[in-house]
Amino acid sequence: MSARSIPVADRVTDAFFALDTDFRFTYLNERAETLLKRSRSDLIGRVMWDEFPQTVETQFPDGFHRAMDEQVPVSFEVYHTHLETWFEARAYPSETGLSVYMRDVTERKEQETTIAQHAAVIEAIDDGVVTLDPTREIVSVNDAMERLLGQSRDDLVGEHVEVVPELAGIADEDAVEMGRAIADVDVGNTAKRQLEAPVTDADGADRVAEIRIVPIEDETATIAVILRDITDQHEHERIAASLHEVTRWLLESDDPEEICAIAVHSGSDLLGLQISGIWLLEDEHGYLEPVAGTAGAYEEFGGLPRFNPGDGLVWNVFEAGEIERFDDLAEEEEVSNSSTPLRSQIVAPIGTHGVLMTGSLDPNRFDETDAELLSTLAENTRAALDRAERERVLRDRTAELERQTERLEGVANVLSSDLKRRLETVADAVEDDSDLDWEFPLAEKSVEQTLDRAERLVDDVREFARNASAVRTRSRVTLERTVGEAVSESKLAETDVVVEEDAALRADSDRFAYLLETAFDDAAARADAADVTVRVGVLGREGSPRLRGFYLLDDAGDPPASAQDRLLEPPSDGERSGDGLGLALVRAIAEAHDWELSIDAEANGRTRIEVRDVTTLEPREPEEEPESSPEPTWGDR
């Protein structure tokens, strides 16, 4: 730097100093000497970082190195702790070093801080605010604080801040903590303090407040105390924590109805949803069936409705799979019941299982928080129902494997005993014939019967083995027509079977016909060539769908003892097996349709086979035309 430029630098009001490429001082003006409290003679030729090690932890090193390395001007603001002064530093690089200007911007920074503090107070205008002077007396009070404390501004201004926790019902320990926070902020130990405390408003309602203490600067006030009502936030957090506990209860149950009951009553107790219910999809008929409801729902409606496909808002939400909030049902066009007393409701899908719905007699009863919490409850319920379904499938598979094992053992017995008996019959006939002009004694009819029985046994084994899988697509069939098809393939004559009442049902037509054919053949085998009559009729015509079904009543003679057990199991070695697996196969096909089969041996020598839980069975009027076209179903039984 030339000697001619030195007087000019000395006249600059900003502090100015120059550094060489090793960051040694080469020049300082008078303002810089004053700022650094060191003379030129002390600093010229000395490294800045050695003489002022406290600057190493500031923005100076990074800023100066960047300016030197990249040869670009840099600027930054830095606070000088000892001088309690804010400076704006600007460094300009050259080939020989840096020229640094430092300007005092403390006043500007204080103005910015004041503006920010005032902005914070303005932002909190909906919160209760009081400002305090250095003696902790109240300078100003906003409207929200007046409402909270139930006192007018005139009554509060000039009072000591202790009146605030007293009027707000703040506990002594929280009031002490509040006083410490005010002191810390006032003396500059911290830029702000925040705490939470229970309060009681002017109406006597218990609330939770967030208390913030921040410094401010105006003519008289130095501290602002802001009270924000966070009761709803606290309640939301409490409910969310409770819902996690509810989730544990849900996942401990494997009963869908119990799971739904826990969910509904949890919603009532935790969320205050007094009119709520859960509807699950009824797979067989495809409608949403109510399975759990609150006491309020039953008191208001006397029962919960069923929702069929296309039934208004509830079904639409179920199909869409997204939660919906309806603030005023009077304005909705797709309400399933236009006379419903409900005015607002939330419908939350439970995955593919069904829906969780809550309603109110008042419009605009629910907000986004209610919807969010209900969605969480519905999702937890879905997870529990998924788990229960997996557990059920596992139990069913285990039970089915056990049944399959039993069936395979029965099949093995049948194969070993029945085929052995057929071969022994042929062998005995051969040994009894000693004529030299020997002819096969079982020619024609005897051989044909033996081979027919063996063929029937193979068919039965094949049909029995495939019972482990579900039935194929079901279609609408009629009892009378299927009986006719089965009789034509059985050992009975058409005149031996009487259909006393016709009905329509949904079934795998081929396997249903084979069920009837097998039952007819079993009756023929038990009759042992004697006359036999089988009557077919309808059960549970007017009763519950689970009692609906059909029966077969035959007079083939007394069945063996313990008919229910022995007629429904594959015959063991040494027992009569007829021409195949008999009623064990009838049971297997019925179970594949999810039907229930039972057998009773009546005192007059008749045997009654009942097949129930055929929930799709409907008695037919004589003039009805039968239908048999298959169509997709949701598990019709």
Side-chain angles (χ1 to χ4, degrees), residues 331-347:
E331 299 177 356
E332 300 292 336
E333 296 181 356
E334 297 187 60
V335 178
S336 58
N337 178 11
S338 59
S339 61
T340 178
L342 293 180
R343 290 297 305 277
S344 58
Q345 69 179 14
I346 302 176
V347 185

Side-chain angles (χ1 to χ4, degrees), residues 358-374:
T358 186
S360 173
L361 304 181
D362 301 316
N364 302 298
R365 161 65 175 78
F366 307 108
D367 57 20
E368 285 299 323
T369 299
D370 294 319
E372 178 183 343
L373 292 172
L374 197 72

Side-chain angles (χ1 to χ4, degrees), residues 57 86 94 165 171 181 189 245 276 325 380 420 473 476 517 541 555 594 626 633:
E57 301 298 329
W86 279 94
S94 68
N189 290 340
E245 180 67 14
S276 301
R325 188 181 91 231
N380 293 343
K420 180 180 179 180
T473 300
R476 187 172 185 268
E517 178 188 342
R541 180 184 180 96
D555 56 2
D594 294 327
T633 66

Side-chain angles (χ1 to χ4, degrees), residues 223-374:
I223 295 290
V225 179
I226 306 166
L227 273 70
R228 171 172 291 176
D229 188 343
I230 59 170
T231 306
D232 291 342
Q233 176 185 332
H234 257 247
E235 183 66 8
H236 178 84
E237 293 171 354
R238 184 192 68 80
I239 291 173
S242 298
L243 285 177
H244 286 299
E245 180 67 14
V246 170
T247 302
R248 184 178 65 81
W249 299 339
L250 291 171
L251 294 176
E252 287 177 352
S253 175
D254 58 3
D255 179 12
E257 291 191 6
E258 182 182 33
I259 289 171
C260 293
I262 292 172
V264 164
H265 293 296
S266 297
S268 176
D269 296 340
L270 293 177
L271 309 181
L273 306 177
Q274 302 303 316
I275 303 178
S276 301
I278 286 181
W279 286 253
L280 295 184
L281 181 66
E282 211 287 326
D283 289 333
E284 185 173 338
H285 296 93
Y287 49 67
L288 291 172
E289 182 76 7
V291 295
T294 59
Y298 286 102
E299 289 173 3
E300 186 65 37
F301 301 104
L304 300 179
R306 173 186 295 168
F307 295 104
N308 291 300
D311 272 359
L313 301 175
V314 173
W315 189 267
N316 292 345
V317 170
F318 173 65
E319 284 195 326
E322 296 290 338
I323 188 171
E324 288 283 352
R325 188 181 91 231
F326 303 99
D327 293 329
D328 193 347
L329 293 177
E331 299 177 356
E332 300 292 336
E333 296 181 356
E334 297 187 60
V335 178
S336 58
N337 178 11
S338 59
S339 61
T340 178
L342 293 180
R343 290 297 305 277
S344 58
Q345 69 179 14
I346 302 176
V347 185
I350 309 175
T352 58
H353 298 286
V355 296
L356 168 59
M357 185 180 75
T358 186
S360 173
L361 304 181
D362 301 316
N364 302 298
R365 161 65 175 78
F366 307 108
D367 57 20
E368 285 299 323
T369 299
D370 294 319
E372 178 183 343
L373 292 172
L374 197 72

Side-chain angles (χ1 to χ4, degrees), residues 25-38:
F25 287 98
T26 59
Y27 178 76
L28 297 86
N29 70 357
E30 293 180 359
R31 176 69 176 133
E33 287 181 297
T34 302
L35 172 64
L36 300 177
K37 297 182 179 180
R38 300 282 293 277

